[in-house]
């Protein structure tokens, strides 16, 4: 099985306000694998199993940037089992199902997996063990009624509990239509 995509469903209480924020051009990101520091959203660590030839888990790191067109740009790196330095473009979009809406999910972040990450070496197909992301709140100072205020890229609306769901999708080794999806749900109490 080959890793195909990672989708994170975000709580519907998160409110996005991208208007005053700097965005990294996807064209520039793909060409240079970098973005201006004021577009950095955070970092993530993905831990995978790579089969019997690699008995210890393998970690990949991703630096996340806010990109044009509601994209999240991930620069993914790993040093084993092979060197990986991939520019991956994820997309923020409205969560697509009525079930998501009724269970507290608003937006979803879908990140495709490139062929180099799907199969870093011959006959090595990573299986995700864990996915941890630390997002730094981007803020921007803007003038409102003649006064400077700090606005967050993401804020919280009325909130009791935040629901998150991560889905990892795999496809068969021939990259055909057979897929398997692993999901994990998590809830966090809102804190002020």
């Amino acid at each position: 099985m080959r890793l195909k995509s990672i989708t994170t469903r975000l709580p519907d209480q998160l409110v996005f306000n991208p208007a005053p924020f700097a965005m990294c051009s996807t064209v520039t990101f793909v060409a240079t694998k970098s973005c201006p520091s004021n577009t950095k959203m955070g970092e993530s660590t993905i831990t995978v199993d790579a089969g019997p030839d690699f008995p210890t888990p393998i970690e990949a790191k991703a630096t996340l940037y806010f990109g044009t067109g509601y994209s999240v740009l991930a620069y993914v790196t790993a040093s084993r089992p092979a060197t990986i330095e991939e520019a991956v473009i994820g997309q923020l979009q409205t969560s697509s199902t009525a079930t998501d809406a009724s269970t507290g999910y608003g937006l979803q972040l879908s990140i495709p997996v490139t062929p180099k990450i799907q199969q870093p070496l011959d006959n090595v197909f990573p299986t995700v063990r864990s996915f941890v992301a630390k997002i730094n709140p981007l803020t921007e100072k803007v003038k409102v009624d003649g006064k400077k205020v700090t606005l967050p890229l993401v804020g919280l609306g009325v909130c009791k509990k935040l629901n998150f769901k991560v889905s990892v999708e795999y496809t068969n080794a021939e990259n055909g239509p057979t897929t398997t999806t692993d999901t994990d749900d998590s809830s966090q109490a809102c804190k002020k």
Side-chain angles (χ1 to χ4, degrees), residues 10 14-26 41 65-74 88-94 107-112 153-154:
L10 304 171
L14 292 180
V15 180
F16 282 80
N17 177 30
F21 289 88
M23 295 180 212
C24 182
S25 159
T26 55
M41 296 176 68
Y65 300 95
F66 185 51
T68 53
Y70 282 94
S71 61
V72 174
L73 311 174
V88 179
I89 300 172
Q91 194 64 46
L92 271 172
Q93 58 198 33
T94 301
L107 291 176
Q108 69 181 24
L109 171 60
S110 298
I111 300 176
L153 172 63
V154 179

Side-chain angles (χ1 to χ4, degrees), residues 43-123:
E43 296 176 345
S44 67
T45 302
I46 304 106
T47 304
V48 301
D49 285 328
D53 292 337
F54 300 92
T56 58
I58 296 167
E59 279 193 359
K61 303 282 186 186
T63 304
L64 307 172
Y65 300 95
F66 185 51
T68 53
Y70 282 94
S71 61
V72 174
L73 311 174
Y75 177 54
V76 180
T77 60
S79 59
R80 69 178 194 97
T83 300
I84 294 174
E85 294 179 349
E86 291 285 298
V88 179
I89 300 172
Q91 194 64 46
L92 271 172
Q93 58 198 33
T94 301
S95 197
S96 57
T97 67
T99 302
D100 284 348
S102 68
T103 54
Y105 300 114
L107 291 176
Q108 69 181 24
L109 171 60
S110 298
I111 300 176
V113 177
T114 64
K116 176 74 174 178
I117 297 171
Q118 284 181 351
Q119 186 179 0
L121 295 172
D122 287 342
N123 299 313

Side-chain angles (χ1 to χ4, degrees), residues 113-161:
V113 177
T114 64
K116 176 74 174 178
I117 297 171
Q118 284 181 351
Q119 186 179 0
L121 295 172
D122 287 342
N123 299 313
V124 174
F125 302 98
T127 303
V128 174
R129 290 182 67 177
S130 69
F131 176 82
V132 177
K134 181 180 179 185
I135 304 299
N136 302 319
L138 290 175
T139 59
E140 189 69 39
K141 292 190 185 292
V142 296
K143 281 192 175 182
V144 176
D145 295 331
K147 296 180 183 177
K148 279 196 171 188
V149 295
T150 301
L151 292 179
L153 172 63
V154 179
L156 278 178
V158 176
C159 179
K160 291 182 183 179
K161 179 174 73 168

